[in-house]
């Protein structure tokens, strides 16, 4: 009898456990720097593949819809934006990162002039909000583009600044991945940064028997570092999802 009463008293005195928040679905809309990869492309990696691991288990579900070669225009034209909207639910989060292909004037199949690029981003924001979900804008990640003096040179023209301006105008959360990734690449240095990108010597990997020197797409380590930089920025700004980080 005493043990039963004691157990009841302890149960009543114990503080209630905090409620477990339901997992939030995070949809990724973007290009190859963020996208999941086919086995024939490995070790090429998109930083979105490493995003899930940044959060506490069970708190976030990442739906990575980024695709190689996509600009804002082709993401719409190929039906990928509409497909994302069809599964979007209230309370979800959408990360939007484009520009690598939008600014490729030499590739007319994907090039999107600046005014159209901004209009497409505005459409994305409007349609996400209409579904009571939360959009977040991201500037494009940096390329490994050093000049002769060892300075990392921006390579996306006016596109990143338009994203910053749009985020301020629309009061949308902004993660400046161009700045964050530039810091990571610069800190690694001209030679050390090769390990962050898809650099393979001849014979090093069966997918690239002749080798490859790709200064746009990430290695697994580079992708992991970019995902970690994104998570750190969520925490620094106390942005949506920051409360789900470890």
């Amino acid at each position: 009898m005493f043990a039963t009463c004691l157990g009841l008293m302890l149960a009543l005195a114990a503080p209630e456990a905090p409620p477990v928040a339901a997992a939030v679905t995070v949809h990724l809309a973007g290009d190859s720097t963020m996208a999941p990869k086919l086995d024939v492309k490995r070790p090429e990696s998109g930083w979105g593949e490493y995003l899930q691991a940044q959060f506490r288990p069970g708190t976030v579900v990442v739906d990575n819809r980024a695709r190689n070669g996509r600009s804002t225009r082709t993401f719409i034209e190929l039906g990928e934006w509409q497909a994302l909207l069809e599964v979007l639910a209230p309370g979800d989060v959408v990360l939007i990162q484009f520009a690598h292909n939008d600014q490729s004037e030499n590739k007319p199949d994907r090039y999107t002039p600046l005014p159209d690029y901004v209009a497409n981003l505005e459409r994305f924001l409007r349609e996400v909000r209409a579904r009571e979900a939360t959009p977040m804008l991201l500037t494009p990640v940096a390329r490994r583009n050093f000049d002769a003096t060892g300075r990392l040179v921006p390579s996306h023209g006016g596109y990143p600044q338009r994203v910053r301006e749009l985020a301020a105008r629309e009061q949308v959360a902004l993660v400046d991945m161009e700045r964050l990734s530039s810091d990571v690449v610069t800190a690694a240095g001209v030679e050390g940064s090769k390990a962050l990108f898809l650099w393979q010597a001849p014979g090093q990997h069966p997918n690239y028997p002749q080798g490859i020197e790709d200064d746009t797409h990430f290695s697994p380590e580079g992708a992991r570092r970019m995902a970690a930089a994104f998570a750190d920025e969520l925490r620094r700004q106390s942005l949506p999802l920051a409360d789900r980080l470890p």
Side-chain angles (χ1 to χ4, degrees):
M1 181 67 176
F2 175 76
T4 301
C5 292
L6 180 60
L8 180 60
M9 292 173 61
L10 290 174
L12 292 172
E16 291 186 9
V20 178
V24 171
T25 300
V26 180
H27 308 273
L28 311 188
D31 55 42
S32 58
T33 61
M34 180 188 259
K37 307 300 177 180
L38 299 173
D39 288 343
V40 296
K41 289 287 189 178
R42 298 298 182 187
E44 180 183 329
S45 302
W47 72 262
E49 296 183 284
Y50 289 79
L51 186 57
Q52 183 86 55
Q54 304 303 313
F55 297 97
R56 299 195 311 278
T59 64
V60 165
V61 175
V62 173
D63 173 26
N64 192 346
R65 293 172 179 262
R67 294 293 181 266
N68 281 29
R70 297 300 184 266
S71 62
T72 54
R73 176 172 63 82
T74 59
F75 202 76
I76 293 169
E77 290 176 349
L78 293 171
E80 289 155 340
W81 178 249
Q82 183 59 37
L84 188 157
L85 291 179
E86 288 172 1
V87 300
L88 191 61
D92 289 358
V93 175
V94 183
L95 308 186
I96 303 167
Q97 180 208 275
F98 291 94
H100 268 81
N101 298 299
D102 294 83
Q103 58 94 216
S104 299
E105 293 187 55
N106 61 332
K107 297 179 179 178
D109 63 315
R110 60 193 67 177
Y111 172 61
T112 312
L114 265 172
D116 295 340
Y117 172 72
V118 174
N120 290 339
L121 292 178
E122 289 173 337
R123 171 182 171 177
F124 293 164
L125 299 181
R126 182 171 63 252
E127 293 181 348
V128 169
R129 285 169 159 171
R131 287 158 176 80
E132 299 180 16
T134 300
M136 296 178 65
L137 286 173
L138 284 61
T139 54
V141 290
R143 293 185 175 94
R144 183 183 169 276
N145 185 35
F146 290 95
D147 65 16
T149 69
R151 182 179 68 92
L152 190 67
V153 179
S155 61
H156 295 99
Y159 287 75
Q161 184 57 28
R162 293 298 181 92
V163 179
R164 298 179 187 108
E165 292 169 357
L166 178 61
R169 185 165 67 248
E170 293 291 331
Q171 296 185 321
V172 175
L174 171 72
V175 177
D176 197 339
M177 289 299 293
E178 184 186 51
R179 178 182 62 80
L180 297 172
S181 57
S182 294
D183 289 346
V184 172
V185 175
T186 297
V190 175
E191 288 301 314
S193 60
K194 292 177 182 178
L196 304 178
F197 289 84
L198 188 59
W199 276 62
Q200 297 287 307
Q204 186 177 354
H205 195 283
N207 283 343
Y208 305 97
Q210 306 304 315
I212 186 170
E213 297 180 0
D214 182 341
D215 291 323
T216 295
H217 299 104
F218 297 119
S219 67
E221 175 61 15
R224 186 193 66 77
R225 294 279 298 278
M226 298 307 156
F230 173 84
D232 287 344
E233 187 66 4
L234 291 182
R235 184 181 290 107
R236 189 188 71 81
Q237 291 194 57
S238 298
L239 292 176
L241 303 175
D243 60 340
R244 296 165 189 269
L245 297 168

